Amino acid sequence: NHVLQTFYPIAPTIDLQEIHVYEEVNDTGFKEGYPYIHPHTLYFTDLCNQASCVPFKPEHLRAKMIMFAFGNALAKAKKLYGEDTKVLEHPVVVQSIATDGKLFQFVVLQLNTMDLNSSDGVKNIIWMDSDQLLYECANYLPEMRKKVVVVPSGLSGYQPATFRKFLAMYLHGVM
């Protein structure tokens, strides 16, 4: 049983003062008067070109995508329907695409309710298509074995379905 000595008459917080340096606001980041006040699609690039950079694991990147899509959808819903609305008159949809240039993650979040306390009734929906390769490898030089080209230079293993998904999400709502 050891009793710690006090700093009396000095307070343990010395001269740290309790202040609030934040404001709780629903803000999507778009300035007032901008014609498009809510995001259509959120893009995340995980380009880790520095030696000290640690890339996101795909599951962490998808969690980040869901979090940002939900935050943007919630801010839009509160702006459209007010703070106290539970079930939304029309769902709010936000798309997310993340890539490192080779591997793509796709998330679409549909916010149907702002009532997050109830496990009954209307639910929010997430559609996710994860770990979609755009190509298998990209070589500046061909891969050779015994003077035979095994893998040519350029893209190999191109997956056009991944690009079609990217393009469909990019163009969704344009027309």
PDB file of all heavy atoms in Angstrom, residues 136-148:
ATOM      1  N   GLU A 136      -3.692  -8.380 -63.719  1.00  0.00           N
ATOM      2  CA  GLU A 136      -2.861  -9.231 -62.860  1.00  0.00           C
ATOM      3  C   GLU A 136      -1.477  -8.641 -62.656  1.00  0.00           C
ATOM      4  O   GLU A 136      -0.958  -8.644 -61.552  1.00  0.00           O
ATOM      5  CB  GLU A 136      -2.780 -10.638 -63.439  1.00  0.00           C
ATOM      6  CG  GLU A 136      -4.088 -11.389 -63.303  1.00  0.00           C
ATOM      7  CD  GLU A 136      -4.035 -12.772 -63.903  1.00  0.00           C
ATOM      8  OE1 GLU A 136      -2.929 -13.326 -64.057  1.00  0.00           O
ATOM      9  OE2 GLU A 136      -5.112 -13.296 -64.212  1.00  0.00           O
ATOM     10  N   CYS A 137      -0.869  -8.157 -63.709  1.00  0.00           N
ATOM     11  CA  CYS A 137       0.437  -7.514 -63.552  1.00  0.00           C
ATOM     12  C   CYS A 137       0.673  -6.524 -64.690  1.00  0.00           C
ATOM     13  O   CYS A 137       0.097  -6.635 -65.773  1.00  0.00           O
ATOM     14  CB  CYS A 137       1.573  -8.534 -63.454  1.00  0.00           C
ATOM     15  SG  CYS A 137       1.852  -9.480 -64.952  1.00  0.00           S
ATOM     16  N   ALA A 138       1.536  -5.556 -64.401  1.00  0.00           N
ATOM     17  CA  ALA A 138       1.938  -4.554 -65.393  1.00  0.00           C
ATOM     18  C   ALA A 138       3.463  -4.537 -65.420  1.00  0.00           C
ATOM     19  O   ALA A 138       4.101  -4.225 -64.416  1.00  0.00           O
ATOM     20  CB  ALA A 138       1.391  -3.181 -65.029  1.00  0.00           C
ATOM     21  N   ASN A 139       4.022  -4.892 -66.542  1.00  0.00           N
ATOM     22  CA  ASN A 139       5.479  -4.974 -66.655  1.00  0.00           C
ATOM     23  C   ASN A 139       5.999  -3.921 -67.629  1.00  0.00           C
ATOM     24  O   ASN A 139       5.446  -3.750 -68.714  1.00  0.00           O
ATOM     25  CB  ASN A 139       5.897  -6.356 -67.166  1.00  0.00           C
ATOM     26  CG  ASN A 139       5.565  -7.459 -66.188  1.00  0.00           C
ATOM     27  OD1 ASN A 139       5.552  -7.245 -64.979  1.00  0.00           O
ATOM     28  ND2 ASN A 139       5.290  -8.641 -66.711  1.00  0.00           N
ATOM     29  N   TYR A 140       7.067  -3.247 -67.206  1.00  0.00           N
ATOM     30  CA  TYR A 140       7.750  -2.322 -68.116  1.00  0.00           C
ATOM     31  C   TYR A 140       8.568  -3.114 -69.132  1.00  0.00           C
ATOM     32  O   TYR A 140       8.657  -2.744 -70.289  1.00  0.00           O
ATOM     33  CB  TYR A 140       8.663  -1.372 -67.349  1.00  0.00           C
ATOM     34  CG  TYR A 140       7.908  -0.410 -66.478  1.00  0.00           C
ATOM     35  CD1 TYR A 140       7.994  -0.480 -65.093  1.00  0.00           C
ATOM     36  CD2 TYR A 140       7.097   0.576 -67.026  1.00  0.00           C
ATOM     37  CE1 TYR A 140       7.297   0.404 -64.288  1.00  0.00           C
ATOM     38  CE2 TYR A 140       6.391   1.457 -66.237  1.00  0.00           C
ATOM     39  CZ  TYR A 140       6.511   1.366 -64.865  1.00  0.00           C
ATOM     40  OH  TYR A 140       5.806   2.240 -64.073  1.00  0.00           O
ATOM     41  N   LEU A 141       9.134  -4.189 -68.651  1.00  0.00           N
ATOM     42  CA  LEU A 141       9.939  -5.054 -69.506  1.00  0.00           C
ATOM     43  C   LEU A 141       9.305  -6.437 -69.529  1.00  0.00           C
ATOM     44  O   LEU A 141       8.714  -6.871 -68.538  1.00  0.00           O
ATOM     45  CB  LEU A 141      11.374  -5.153 -68.973  1.00  0.00           C
ATOM     46  CG  LEU A 141      12.146  -3.831 -68.876  1.00  0.00           C
ATOM     47  CD1 LEU A 141      13.466  -4.049 -68.160  1.00  0.00           C
ATOM     48  CD2 LEU A 141      12.398  -3.275 -70.278  1.00  0.00           C
ATOM     49  N   PRO A 142       9.447  -7.158 -70.621  1.00  0.00           N
ATOM     50  CA  PRO A 142       8.872  -8.514 -70.654  1.00  0.00           C
ATOM     51  C   PRO A 142       9.621  -9.445 -69.697  1.00  0.00           C
ATOM     52  O   PRO A 142      10.813  -9.279 -69.454  1.00  0.00           O
ATOM     53  CB  PRO A 142       9.057  -8.949 -72.113  1.00  0.00           C
ATOM     54  CG  PRO A 142      10.127  -8.086 -72.654  1.00  0.00           C
ATOM     55  CD  PRO A 142      10.086  -6.801 -71.886  1.00  0.00           C
ATOM     56  N   GLU A 143       8.899 -10.411 -69.144  1.00  0.00           N
ATOM     57  CA  GLU A 143       9.521 -11.412 -68.277  1.00  0.00           C
ATOM     58  C   GLU A 143      10.018 -12.541 -69.174  1.00  0.00           C
ATOM     59  O   GLU A 143       9.241 -13.135 -69.922  1.00  0.00           O
ATOM     60  CB  GLU A 143       8.486 -11.925 -67.278  1.00  0.00           C
ATOM     61  CG  GLU A 143       9.066 -12.796 -66.205  1.00  0.00           C
ATOM     62  CD  GLU A 143       8.011 -13.218 -65.194  1.00  0.00           C
ATOM     63  OE1 GLU A 143       7.213 -12.364 -64.773  1.00  0.00           O
ATOM     64  OE2 GLU A 143       7.982 -14.419 -64.861  1.00  0.00           O
ATOM     65  N   MET A 144      11.314 -12.798 -69.092  1.00  0.00           N
ATOM     66  CA  MET A 144      11.943 -13.767 -69.998  1.00  0.00           C
ATOM     67  C   MET A 144      12.505 -14.938 -69.190  1.00  0.00           C
ATOM     68  O   MET A 144      13.009 -14.758 -68.092  1.00  0.00           O
ATOM     69  CB  MET A 144      13.090 -13.101 -70.773  1.00  0.00           C
ATOM     70  CG  MET A 144      12.746 -11.791 -71.436  1.00  0.00           C
ATOM     71  SD  MET A 144      12.145 -11.917 -73.093  1.00  0.00           S
ATOM     72  CE  MET A 144      13.459 -12.630 -73.978  1.00  0.00           C
ATOM     73  N   ARG A 145      12.413 -16.124 -69.787  1.00  0.00           N
ATOM     74  CA  ARG A 145      13.064 -17.315 -69.243  1.00  0.00           C
ATOM     75  C   ARG A 145      13.675 -18.077 -70.413  1.00  0.00           C
ATOM     76  O   ARG A 145      12.962 -18.454 -71.348  1.00  0.00           O
ATOM     77  CB  ARG A 145      12.065 -18.205 -68.499  1.00  0.00           C
ATOM     78  CG  ARG A 145      11.623 -17.580 -67.197  1.00  0.00           C
ATOM     79  CD  ARG A 145      11.070 -18.618 -66.234  1.00  0.00           C
ATOM     80  NE  ARG A 145      10.533 -17.899 -65.084  1.00  0.00           N
ATOM     81  CZ  ARG A 145       9.268 -17.887 -64.726  1.00  0.00           C
ATOM     82  NH1 ARG A 145       8.396 -18.605 -65.399  1.00  0.00           N
ATOM     83  NH2 ARG A 145       8.862 -17.203 -63.693  1.00  0.00           N
ATOM     84  N   LYS A 146      14.978 -18.259 -70.339  1.00  0.00           N
ATOM     85  CA  LYS A 146      15.725 -18.957 -71.404  1.00  0.00           C
ATOM     86  C   LYS A 146      15.457 -18.335 -72.770  1.00  0.00           C
ATOM     87  O   LYS A 146      15.159 -19.020 -73.743  1.00  0.00           O
ATOM     88  CB  LYS A 146      15.392 -20.447 -71.409  1.00  0.00           C
ATOM     89  CG  LYS A 146      15.801 -21.150 -70.136  1.00  0.00           C
ATOM     90  CD  LYS A 146      15.482 -22.619 -70.226  1.00  0.00           C
ATOM     91  CE  LYS A 146      15.853 -23.289 -68.911  1.00  0.00           C
ATOM     92  NZ  LYS A 146      15.567 -24.709 -68.919  1.00  0.00           N
ATOM     93  N   LYS A 147      15.505 -16.987 -72.791  1.00  0.00           N
ATOM     94  CA  LYS A 147      15.333 -16.198 -74.009  1.00  0.00           C
ATOM     95  C   LYS A 147      13.946 -16.351 -74.647  1.00  0.00           C
ATOM     96  O   LYS A 147      13.767 -16.134 -75.837  1.00  0.00           O
ATOM     97  CB  LYS A 147      16.421 -16.520 -75.032  1.00  0.00           C
ATOM     98  CG  LYS A 147      17.803 -16.153 -74.556  1.00  0.00           C
ATOM     99  CD  LYS A 147      18.816 -16.363 -75.640  1.00  0.00           C
ATOM    100  CE  LYS A 147      20.203 -16.000 -75.106  1.00  0.00           C
ATOM    101  NZ  LYS A 147      21.220 -16.145 -76.139  1.00  0.00           N
ATOM    102  N   VAL A 148      12.957 -16.739 -73.835  1.00  0.00           N
ATOM    103  CA  VAL A 148      11.582 -16.860 -74.306  1.00  0.00           C
ATOM    104  C   VAL A 148      10.718 -15.931 -73.452  1.00  0.00           C
ATOM    105  O   VAL A 148      10.841 -15.911 -72.224  1.00  0.00           O
ATOM    106  CB  VAL A 148      11.072 -18.322 -74.179  1.00  0.00           C
ATOM    107  CG1 VAL A 148       9.601 -18.427 -74.563  1.00  0.00           C
ATOM    108  CG2 VAL A 148      11.926 -19.252 -75.016  1.00  0.00           C
TER     109      VAL A 148
END
